[in-house]
Amino acid sequence: QNARHQASAVKHARRARHTSLSRPNTSWYPATRSQTPPSPHLNRLGHAKFRMANVRTSNVPSVPFAASALEGVYRKRATLSDTENLAVGAFGGVLETCIQMPLITFKICVQSGKPLPQTIGGWYRGVFAAAAPLAPITACQVAVNGAIERAVTGGDRGPSDLERIGIAMCAGGISSVLYSPVDLVVIQQQKLGLNSPFATVSAVTSTHGQAAIMRGFSACVVREAIYTAGYLGLAPIAKEYLVANHDHFKKNELHASIVGSCVGGTVAAVLTHPVDTAKTCVQSDLAGTTYPNARTALGKVYAKGGIKALYGGGMARTARLCGAFFVINNVREYAINWKTEMDAAQLD
């Protein structure tokens, strides 16, 4: 009789674990409708082991990531390592730039008054130059976000919504150490008409000193903190809310991902575009004669052209952020789900 109980319990547990594979959007995968996870007793291997209902457990083998179908099962999602986060971020950044290069070209042409390209090659001119600096920056944001998340949660639970947004903001702010000088070099290279970024760095530091390379850093911190909170925090949170509360999105998670990315991208663009405009003004005026700091730049731009001047090129940038959020988040989600399934397969 006891043996039959044991076999039945293990069978239900394995079936519940298999069912949990279809729930990729939460940090814990419930196999039942219960929203409250049972308290696990961790064994030496760190695998969750739960007490079977109405079954003596002294002789029941431990089933990793599984529990009785009566009490529910929660299987922990895999956590990407720092190296994996770097790879995901770099690949996602390059991929979204390559996909959206025509939109980037359109934005540049509209802002600069240049005619639109007439060939496909013209729409993709400069794609490698645009993607190259974004790969390490996006990789840094995703990797730092993962490292901070593990430190906050201890690696044994999923972060709350507020924690996700706060962690992403920290990761974005830290990435500004890389992004701010990259932006400044790009702006100064276009202004000075030099052929290489190395020549631009040499010209900037020889004329204005080494500290000039970090001019506009505080504005970049604000922009990247909000931007990263948008694609690593708000966009996935919005997607999960839609999937959890609307039947249409439960059946069409791709639609939920698109809407979530648009929500995150639009909010991030609206909040950061004036700051980005001020940062561009400050970094183009290294001497500080017209724009001594970002706050002054905001006031002068607004006084000159109003809200329209602060949001020049905003529509194209909003569209690009929505696309970037969609691409990067789906690359990251696919990597997490793939690793989760690989971990589960190794335990079988």
Side-chain angles (χ1 to χ4, degrees):
Q1 182 70 17
N2 186 38
R4 286 198 298 271
H5 278 300
Q6 294 177 17
S8 177
V10 172
K11 179 180 178 181
H12 283 298
R14 287 176 176 170
R15 182 179 301 168
R17 182 179 62 184
H18 177 73
T19 303
S20 70
L21 290 175
S22 63
R23 300 294 300 273
N25 295 312
T26 56
S27 294
W28 296 88
Y29 295 121
T32 68
R33 294 180 181 272
S34 172
Q35 297 299 312
T36 304
S39 299
H41 301 283
L42 300 181
N43 60 19
R44 289 181 298 174
L45 297 178
H47 297 145
K49 181 171 64 176
F50 302 88
R51 181 170 297 278
M52 305 297 181
N54 301 321
V55 179
R56 291 187 300 167
T57 61
S58 58
N59 296 320
V60 177
S62 172
V63 181
F65 302 105
S68 167
L70 296 176
E71 292 189 15
V73 58
Y74 286 74
R75 182 164 64 81
K76 188 177 181 297
R77 296 180 75 189
T79 301
L80 298 180
S81 67
D82 292 335
T83 302
E84 291 165 341
N85 274 318
L86 283 170
V88 167
F91 178 74
V94 171
L95 180 62
E96 70 90 3
T97 303
C98 293
I99 292 174
Q100 300 194 105
M101 190 61 199
L103 183 60
I104 298 171
T105 301
F106 176 80
K107 173 179 173 291
I108 294 172
C109 291
V110 170
Q111 289 180 324
S112 62
K114 295 179 180 179
L116 297 176
Q118 300 298 315
T119 64
I120 295 178
W123 285 101
Y124 281 89
R125 183 176 293 116
V127 62
F128 296 110
L134 282 180
I137 292 169
T138 310
C140 173
Q141 290 172 344
V142 176
V144 172
N145 183 86
I148 297 176
E149 182 177 306
R150 288 197 303 273
V152 171
T153 64
D156 56 2
R157 66 175 177 86
S160 67
D161 290 346
L162 288 178
E163 287 175 337
R164 293 167 76 174
I165 293 176
I167 290 169
M169 291 186 72
C170 291
I174 292 172
S175 73
S176 300
V177 175
L178 295 176
Y179 214 158
S180 182
V182 167
D183 267 359
L184 184 141
V185 169
V186 170
I187 292 170
Q188 287 297 315
Q189 184 175 348
Q190 293 174 346
K191 181 179 179 179
L192 300 175
L194 300 176
N195 294 325
S196 73
F198 301 104
T200 304
V201 171
S202 178
V204 168
T205 55
S206 62
T207 305
H208 302 281
Q210 294 184 352
I213 205 71
M214 295 303 293
R215 181 169 169 78
F217 174 71
S218 59
C220 189
V221 169
V222 174
R223 185 193 69 179
E224 288 309 301
I226 298 174
Y227 169 82
T228 310
Y231 84 86
L232 290 178
L234 183 57
I237 290 172
K239 174 189 173 183
E240 292 167 10
Y241 174 84
L242 292 172
V243 171
N245 294 279
H246 298 277
D247 292 336
H248 171 76
F249 293 112
K250 288 179 183 179
K251 301 175 182 178
N252 302 276
E253 290 198 19
L254 178 62
H255 296 176
S257 182
I258 293 173
V259 175
S261 298
C262 289
V263 170
T266 302
V267 171
V270 169
L271 294 179
T272 62
H273 202 78
V275 179
D276 183 62
T277 300
K279 181 197 69 65
T280 301
C281 293
V282 168
Q283 290 185 329
S284 64
D285 180 24
L286 292 181
T289 54
T290 304
Y291 305 110
N293 54 58
R295 183 182 301 176
T296 303
L298 275 174
K300 288 188 175 183
V301 172
Y302 178 77
K304 184 177 180 179
I307 293 294
K308 185 177 180 180
L310 289 177
Y311 281 93
M315 290 297 294
R317 184 167 179 265
T318 299
R320 193 208 167 180
L321 291 192
C322 293
F325 288 11
F326 176 78
V327 172
I328 297 174
N329 271 310
N330 276 276
V331 169
R332 184 168 180 261
E333 188 70 16
Y334 178 85
I336 293 174
N337 290 341
W338 178 82
K339 186 175 181 180
T340 301
E341 292 185 4
M342 292 301 100
D343 289 347
Q346 292 178 359
L347 294 171
D348 287 340

